[in-house]
Amino acid sequence: MSNKKKFFIIFLLIIVDSFLFIGYLVIRDKTNLVDLKKEIKELDKLDITKDSYDRRIKTSGDYAVVEKTIKNYLNSYSNDVQEIKKLMNDSYLTKILSYDNYSKDGFEFTKSFKYLESEKKSFNKKIDLLIKKSNKDYINKYIDKKISDNYYNELCKELMITDERIKSFEKNKETLEEIKVKVNKTIDLSSEVLTLLKENKDNCVLEDNQIKFKSKPVYDKYNELISKIKEG
């Protein structure tokens, strides 16, 4: 076989291999895109108030970066929502104005005041961040930090910042702002109740599994504050 023929065969094989490789890349990209969109649809079925988005990555390459970015954001958001729920339902907070707590902490309420101060600080920090995470601009900036390539950046935003998801986030934001006001009101009023009892400990007595008052003005003020807490 002549050198010219050998060169032609080698050249032909290189061309064929190149086409096969390009075809493989095209098919792989299309497969990844289909898998990515399918997985995001599965994420949309989850409940952000109780489910986890920490799921196995189903795609590869840059598509995996897009998938991971979306899942990490939604998982972080979901974890924060569930953490807020835990703080709201914390057993110590719900029982801080109970007879048992009055008995255990005494009328100085050292532990109770410390807890309320810490709880308020922690709660507001978490819920303020969660409110920020509900904003479209915040999501855009998050994606920009994670993905620099224009195509994959835009793809991520297209899949993440849908009208339906933004509408859901906006609704969550309104709910979170209402919760923030309500919880802060409860904490502040609870602190007022404890301050009232501490400042009037000589007019209060614990007996028969209840708190009793020797002073009617203190009794009236106590009931007024408790009523405000119950109003929500």
Side-chain angles (χ1 to χ4, degrees), residues 189-205:
L189 286 171
S190 296
S191 184
E192 279 191 57
V193 170
L194 297 180
T195 299
L196 175 71
L197 296 179
K198 179 179 178 180
E199 292 176 351
N200 295 277
K201 56 188 172 184
D202 293 336
N203 288 313
C204 305
V205 61

Side-chain angles (χ1 to χ4, degrees), residues 148-160:
S148 58
D149 182 276
N150 287 336
Y151 171 75
Y152 294 102
N153 181 288
E154 290 302 317
L155 176 61
C156 188
K157 289 175 180 177
E158 177 189 330
L159 296 173
M160 176 69 181

Side-chain angles (χ1 to χ4, degrees), residues 6-57:
K6 285 181 182 178
F7 175 79
F8 177 75
I9 292 171
I10 293 170
F11 178 76
L12 190 61
L13 288 172
I14 291 172
I15 295 297
V16 170
D17 286 343
S18 297
F19 276 116
L20 288 173
F21 181 68
I22 292 169
Y24 163 76
L25 292 178
V26 170
I27 292 170
R28 188 187 67 176
D29 266 20
K30 286 185 177 180
T31 302
N32 269 316
L33 185 57
V34 169
D35 289 344
L36 176 61
K37 290 182 176 181
K38 183 179 177 182
E39 181 66 6
I40 300 307
K41 282 184 179 180
E42 290 300 312
L43 297 182
D44 290 338
K45 296 176 184 177
L46 300 178
D47 185 340
I48 208 157
T49 65
K50 61 183 181 182
D51 292 325
S52 172
Y53 292 79
D54 186 18
R55 294 155 59 100
R56 182 175 65 84
I57 301 299

